[in-house]
Each structure stands twice: as C-alpha cells, then as structure tokens.
Amino acid sequence: MSSLFYRQPRLTALIAMVLVAAGLSAFLSIGRQEDPTITNLFATVVTPYPGADPARVEALITEKIEAELREIAEIDNIDSTSATGVSTISIELSQFISDARIEQVWSEIRDALADAAVALPAGVPEPEFSNDRTGAFSAISALMPRHDAVPPAVLARHAQMLEDRLRGLPGVSLVESFGVPEEEVIVAIDPVRLAALGLSAQQVASAVAAADPKVSAGRLRGARTDFLIEVTGEIRTLDRVREIPLTTSSDGFAVRLGDVATVEKAAKDPASSIAKVDGREAVLIAVKMEERRRVDTWMERIRSELERFEATLPGGLEHRLIFDQSGYTADRLAEVAGNMGVGIALVVGVLLLTLGFRAALVVAVALPLVGLASLATLNFMAITIHQMSVTGMIVALGLLVDAA
C-alpha cells in the first residue's frame, strides 16, 4: 500500500489533477475578507433617564431591566452602572453557547428589553441595545453638502434613501449612519409678554404637549360596534404650533403661542453625533458585509449602486466613497502571497544547490499541490481567506518543506 503511487503513476497523475482542479475552483469561489469573523458574545444596553440621580436610575431603570435579563439562561454575566441620568448594562453570553443559538439569544434579549420598557417611568425612552461591536465595516460612504445653504432635513433624507438602498442589496449584513443631522422645533418665549399675561413657562409647555394628541381620546362601544375616538388637528406645520391657544379671557379673547414666542425649525443643538470629512460636516453611511463573501465581487455591486445613487443627487449634495475594504484586502493578501512565493523560491533554490534536482523537484511539486488542496479544504469547511488563515497556511507549508 505504501508504494501504490509509485506502482501506479496514472493514479498519482489523476489525484494531482483533481487537487489542481479543486484548488483552482476553490480559489475562484472562496470567500475573502481582511480579518477573520469573531463570534460576538457581548452587548450593551443604554437607557437615558434625564434629570434622575443614580439612586433613582438604579431603582427605576437598572433593576427592572436586570430582572428581565436574568430570566435568560444563556446570559453568563451582567454588569451594570447607574449614573446621573443614564443606566448602562453590559451583557456577556456563555462561552459554551453554539453559534447557531447566538442570534436567537440576541432576539430573546431584545424581547426582554421590550417587556422591561413597559414598566419604565413615563418619559423614559426604550433601552438602546447594541451587539454589533465586532468586525470592521467593509465600505464607508460620505454624503456632504457642497455649500451651507442645504437644509439639514434634505441631507438627512438623502442619507436615509442611500441607507435603504444599500440595505436592500444581497450580502449586506448591517448598514449604520453616523452624523445624521436632526431637526427640532424651537419655541423662544418672550418673558416680558409671558409675565404680563400671568403665565409661566410650564403652562406653555403643558399647552404644547396637550395640543398634539398621540393616543385615542376614548372609545365608543355599542352592541355591534366598537370605535376609537381620535382628536384631529395634530401638529404638522409651524403655523399650527403658533396657533396653539394658551389662555382665553372672559370676553373671548384668546392668547396664542405665536403671541408670546417665536417658533422656528432648526438643527438640533447639541447634535447627537457629528461626522466631518475634510473639515466639512457630513453623514457617514457604513456597510458591513456578510460572512463567507468575496469582498471584491461584493464591492463591485456596492459601487454600482452608489453610482446609480449619485445620478439622482441634487446639485447641492456630494457623495464620496471614503473607505473600500476590497482594495486594502487585495493588497494585504497579495503581499502575503508574494512573501510566500519568495519563500518557496528560496527553499527550492537552496535545495537545488544542496541536495540536487530530485529533492528540489519534490518540494517544488508538493508545495503548490498542498496549497491548492488546502484551499479546497478551507472552501469545503466554509472558512474564508483572511490574514490568519493565510498565515496558518504559510506556517503549515514551512513544516511541509521540512518533511519533504
């Protein structure tokens, strides 16, 4: 059996051809990325509670969320910090959980947070859950105005359009925006006029809140009917805000918000997040690729979509692709492959000078065959080519040289 390949040269040639075909096929189809995919077992839950001291945050926010999270058996550790106005909870899953189960556990955690949000005090927003802290973005685009006259709402709307278009492409696992401008309605009260009417700022705020109904006003039930009663006149324009009544005199004269305050729409200050490119404020749209994809072919699809989006942009906006992982990954893998080729050439050259042609020929034939067989094996095991896997192949080929 040990001399089978010596006695059957056709079998040896056939196996070598199969290895070459399988390796070349794997090289054309195997996934390529810069770094290996890391299984994420950590997440963070942030819940703001403006104006509350740490004791109230702990009692009303942190403890209620922790109580819901402790019911999930796959959570290994929960660390929380209750500070003034904010609750931060760090979650660590068990290291023994299977990869197929991880996404299901994250979904259960989101459901638990939704259940906990019902019991939180009025005015507290839903907890912000984040578990996308591993892996790098594969592409980052910048959308920026060409001049300062572009309204923030226009920039935000086109950024949302680009985000939706990229999210619909195949192979995209995550799309996230940074520096999206937000608008707010500013009501600047004239204190002199307000004092002359005997009103307070709190009364004005209560009138504004009551003028924008967000829930039903009641329910009309009958023997065969069940209707919700809703109040019309919700706030949609600035003029509607100015017309909010504050008080009415005995003779029927009504004081409206526009009589004691100026109402205007402006960018939120301070902004939730700020992104700048070349000193100009911009919106960054970052895209992450799915696992086991070829970043070069994936980026071709992304570039095509970006070109179609640029054709629809108004003249006041500019788009720029500021990061492309495919070029960086290709350069890194080419550098590693070049170093491996130089190493193989040196080894073959040294063996040719020291041990002769036959020993050098064995190594020269064995190294490419084993390399192609390794690519076929990696492709079969759904392992992508990245810095770590290529480095491991180089080490293994070095050991193969010694054996050969």
Side-chain angles (χ1 to χ4, degrees), residues 324-359:
D324 181 357
Q325 193 188 65
S326 63
Y328 184 72
T329 302
D331 293 341
R332 295 295 296 271
L333 294 179
E335 180 181 356
V336 173
N339 294 336
M340 182 172 62
V342 172
I344 293 175
L346 290 176
V347 169
V348 173
V350 171
L351 292 178
L352 183 62
L353 294 176
T354 57
L355 298 181
F357 176 77
R358 292 175 61 87

Side-chain angles (χ1 to χ4, degrees), residues 7-320:
R7 291 183 285 105
Q8 300 291 339
R10 294 182 179 179
L11 178 61
T12 304
L14 177 62
I15 293 178
M17 294 174 60
V18 170
L19 290 178
V20 171
L24 293 178
S25 175
F27 180 76
L28 297 176
S29 61
I30 193 171
R32 301 174 187 178
Q33 58 191 55
E34 179 183 357
D35 298 309
T37 302
I38 301 175
T39 302
N40 182 32
L41 300 177
F42 299 89
T44 303
V45 179
V46 179
T47 309
Y49 190 6
D53 58 81
R56 289 179 58 84
V57 172
E58 176 72 22
L60 300 179
I61 304 294
T62 305
E63 290 182 356
K64 293 181 179 181
I65 296 178
E66 287 183 345
E68 293 288 342
L69 294 177
R70 289 194 181 97
E71 297 181 2
I72 301 177
E74 288 80 2
I75 296 180
D76 186 43
N77 186 34
I78 299 177
D79 293 329
S80 62
T81 302
S82 299
T84 301
V86 63
S87 167
T88 305
I89 300 176
S90 299
I91 303 173
E92 180 181 356
L93 301 184
S94 172
Q95 297 181 359
F96 302 101
I97 186 174
S98 62
D99 293 343
R101 172 71 176 150
I102 290 178
E103 288 301 324
Q104 184 177 354
V105 173
W106 290 136
S107 179
E108 293 176 1
I109 292 176
R110 291 187 180 93
D111 294 338
L113 295 177
D115 295 339
V118 178
L120 298 182
V124 176
E126 292 188 2
E128 298 179 4
F129 176 75
S130 175
N131 66 330
D132 297 310
R133 298 187 296 175
T134 59
F137 288 106
S138 305
I140 301 178
S141 288
L143 190 63
M144 64 194 77
R146 297 181 185 272
H147 47 78
D148 296 335
V150 177
V154 175
L155 180 61
R157 182 167 64 252
H158 282 84
Q160 182 63 45
M161 292 170 55
L162 177 57
E163 187 176 346
D164 293 339
R165 296 179 67 160
L166 293 176
R167 189 177 287 111
L169 295 178
V172 174
S173 65
L174 176 67
V175 180
E176 191 170 353
S177 298
F178 303 91
V180 179
E182 300 177 86
E183 287 188 319
E184 62 182 1
V185 176
I186 300 177
V187 179
I189 300 174
D190 187 338
V192 177
R193 294 182 182 180
L194 198 65
L197 296 172
L199 298 175
S200 64
Q202 181 60 41
Q203 290 175 304
V204 175
S206 300
V208 173
D212 190 18
K214 296 180 177 61
V215 295
S216 61
R219 175 175 292 181
L220 178 62
R221 294 182 178 178
R224 298 182 179 180
T225 59
D226 189 358
F227 299 105
L228 289 177
I229 301 175
E230 296 184 354
V231 180
T232 60
E234 63 273 10
I235 296 176
R236 294 183 181 273
T237 63
L238 295 181
D239 290 336
R240 174 67 181 87
V241 178
R242 298 186 182 98
E243 293 297 322
I244 295 176
L246 300 180
T247 182
T248 305
S249 62
S250 57
D251 56 358
F253 178 76
V255 177
R256 305 185 184 279
L257 182 61
D259 300 329
V260 299
T262 57
V263 180
E264 60 181 0
K265 183 183 291 186
K268 185 178 180 181
D269 187 22
S272 301
S273 62
I274 298 177
K276 289 192 175 185
V277 176
D278 295 336
R280 290 187 293 167
E281 292 191 3
V283 177
L284 301 182
I285 299 94
V287 189
K288 186 179 292 186
M289 183 183 65
E290 290 181 351
E291 298 181 21
R292 294 186 290 274
R293 293 271 184 171
R294 287 190 55 174
V295 67
D296 49 352
T297 57
W298 181 83
M299 274 304 304
E300 291 179 1
R301 190 179 297 113
I302 296 293
R303 293 192 199 96
S304 299
E305 186 64 32
L306 293 178
E307 290 176 359
R308 289 191 290 268
F309 173 75
E310 290 175 357
T312 63
L313 280 179
L317 294 179
E318 175 187 356
H319 173 266
R320 188 186 306 172

